[in-house]
Amino acid sequence: MTTKKTEAEDTAKKAAYIAPADKVDTSGAPQQIVPDVDLDHPAVDNDPRAGTTVEQNQIDFNDPTLTGQEAVEKSLAEQAK
């Protein structure tokens, strides 16, 4: 026995096209517009950096050209300044 899927079921399972981010917000987060998101919904944190300090929000990118030891030495040297 086969069951015919409804159009709504087929649509719900299609891959969504959400355009990739092309800008970075001042918070450091990529700006990506996702349609149909209710930013006031309790499950959505629309202000994830509320109550954080400047130090907590500094972006620390790993440098793939350094070894782990070199990265630690560089970080310690910068902190000593």
Side-chain angles (χ1 to χ4, degrees), residues 2-62:
T2 60
T3 305
K4 185 176 180 183
K5 291 184 180 179
T6 66
E7 187 176 326
E9 289 174 321
D10 286 341
T11 301
K13 293 187 180 186
K14 286 184 180 177
Y17 176 74
I18 298 171
D22 60 0
K23 294 184 221 171
V24 175
D25 193 26
T26 55
S27 69
Q31 289 183 351
Q32 189 175 29
I33 305 303
V34 181
D36 302 327
V37 172
D38 178 4
L39 294 177
D40 293 324
H41 191 281
V44 176
D45 185 356
N46 63 359
D47 193 5
R49 296 179 186 265
T52 60
T53 66
V54 171
E55 185 177 26
Q56 289 172 314
N57 287 291
Q58 291 176 336
I59 297 173
D60 182 20
F61 290 110
N62 293 326

